[in-house]
């Protein structure tokens, strides 16, 4: 009875909050507030470290709250992450099945590689020849002042293998920027989302592809509609499935060769990373 009252109080708090970050914190209460005498896994069903089980209604609340927060501020990556997890179940099943049916994708699912500063040799990659995939990836990180360690861990996906698929998608997102030659300004992010929406079918990607253009000025919107958008969509539909590439084994491959292998055309417009805040 006490547990039922506690959960009711928690969800009353969620329903009255105005910011999705508050609702996420409320959902986390059972995990964070555990007795020191209880094992940490007793706070959730233990599917994977940090997992928080949520019901369909709770996922709907998280989706609405995170969607509103992400629309207000597209650079709230934590809210974009929650939106992706709360809405992506069926798309993740499809992505997982595509990986299982491909030899390289199956190897990734089996070995579970991570792209973090602790797992990549930044100094070695920076010394690779100009035009190599690894060198261009490090250049992208430097030019856009981003790090692979900024990707949030998965919490709300109620399947351990699907949780890894979501994590893998997040950790190769910056590699998509590198492959597509897109910076992290709003126009570049929207172009990548058009590509990812076609590739993955994740509702979160479609959300960004449809609503992201609303934050572009007239000239950039014209560039998206007449050039970058059709290019990104066309390449997303025809390219090899990007989650089936073991990128950690491709650092020395030239970016041009990797694009040809994946059937990705070079971008029709070159965007500068210096324009990140000029949208």
């Amino acid at each position: 009875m006490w547990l039922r009252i506690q959960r009711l109080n928690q969800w009353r708090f969620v329903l009255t909050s105005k910011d999705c970050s508050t609702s996420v914190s409320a959902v986390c209460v059972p995990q964070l507030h555990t007795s020191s005498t209880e094992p940490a896994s007793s706070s959730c069903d233990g599917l994977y470290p940090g997992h928080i089980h949520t019901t369909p209604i709770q996922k709907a609340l998280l989706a609405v709250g995170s969607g509103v927060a992400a629309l207000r501020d597209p650079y709230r990556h934590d809210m974009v992450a929650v939106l992706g997890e709360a809405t992506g179940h069926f798309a993740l099943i499809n992505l997982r099945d595509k990986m299982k049916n491909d030899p390289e994708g199956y190897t990734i699912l089996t070995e579970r590689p991570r792209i973090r500063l602790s797992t990549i040799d930044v100094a070695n990659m920076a010394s690779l020849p100009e035009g190599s995939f690894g060198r261009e990836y490090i250049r992208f990180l430097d030019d856009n002042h981003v790090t692979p360690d900024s990707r949030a861990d998965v919490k709300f996906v109620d399947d351990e293998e699907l949780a890894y698929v979501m994590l893998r998608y997040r950790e190769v997102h910056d590699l998509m920027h590198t492959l597509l030659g897109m910076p992290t300004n709003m126009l570049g992010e929207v172009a990548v989302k058009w590509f990812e929406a076609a590739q993955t079918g994740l509702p979160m990607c479609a959300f960004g592809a449809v609503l992201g253009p609303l934050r572009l000025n007239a000239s950039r919107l014209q560039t998206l509609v007449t050039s970058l958008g059709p290019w990104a969509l066309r390449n997303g539909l025809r390219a090899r499935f990007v989650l089936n590439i073991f990128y950690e084994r491709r650092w020395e491959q030239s970016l041009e060769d990797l694009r040809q292998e994946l059937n990705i055309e070079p971008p029709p417009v070159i965007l500068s990373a210096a324009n990140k805040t000029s949208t």
Side-chain angles (χ1 to χ4, degrees), residues 65 176 260:
M176 296 304 98
Q260 290 179 355

Side-chain angles (χ1 to χ4, degrees), residues 85-267:
E85 294 176 31
T87 61
H89 178 71
F90 294 107
L92 288 172
I93 292 175
N94 183 51
L95 300 183
R96 187 267 314 278
D97 291 346
K98 286 184 177 181
M99 295 178 74
K100 281 189 171 182
N101 291 326
D102 180 88
E104 196 167 354
Y106 183 78
T107 300
I108 294 169
L109 279 178
T110 302
E111 298 188 11
R112 304 286 179 92
R114 298 290 308 274
I115 300 178
R116 311 281 291 178
L117 289 177
S118 60
T119 63
I120 62 176
D121 189 339
V122 175
N124 179 65
M125 291 167 65
S127 68
L128 290 173
E130 290 290 326
S132 64
F133 180 54
R135 179 68 187 88
E136 294 306 315
Y137 172 55
I138 297 300
R139 190 194 310 278
F140 165 82
L141 296 178
D142 290 341
D143 289 349
N144 293 276
H145 308 290
V146 295
T147 169
D149 288 354
S150 64
R151 298 302 168 188
D153 290 331
V154 178
K155 297 179 180 178
F156 301 108
V157 176
D158 296 328
D159 180 278
E160 186 270 340
E161 191 171 44
L162 297 183
Y164 175 75
V165 174
M166 175 60 81
L167 182 64
R168 184 65 176 177
Y169 158 75
R170 284 181 189 164
E171 292 189 345
V172 303
H173 175 75
D174 287 340
L175 301 181
M176 296 304 98
H177 277 273
T178 305
L179 281 170
L180 298 173
M182 292 291 107
T184 58
N185 60 26
M186 186 55 61
L187 179 55
E189 289 288 359
V190 172
V192 172
K193 280 293 178 283
W194 281 41
F195 176 88
E196 291 180 338
Q199 272 274 308
T200 68
L202 285 167
M204 174 267 297
C205 294
F207 180 86
V210 172
L211 298 182
L214 299 178
R215 302 186 67 89
L216 298 174
N217 61 32
S219 63
R220 293 193 173 192
L221 182 59
Q222 182 178 14
T223 300
L224 176 70
V225 172
T226 61
S227 179
L228 283 180
W231 162 79
L233 186 60
R234 180 175 66 253
N235 281 272
L237 290 172
R238 76 177 193 174
R240 180 178 169 186
F241 184 49
V242 293
L243 292 185
N244 281 341
I245 306 300
F246 210 134
Y247 295 101
E248 295 87 336
R249 299 176 180 176
R250 307 296 189 97
W251 299 136
E252 297 182 4
Q253 186 174 354
S254 76
L255 176 59
E256 181 179 357
D257 286 348
L258 185 55
R259 281 175 174 166
Q260 290 179 355
E261 179 183 340
L262 298 182
N263 202 23
I264 294 176
E265 302 169 354

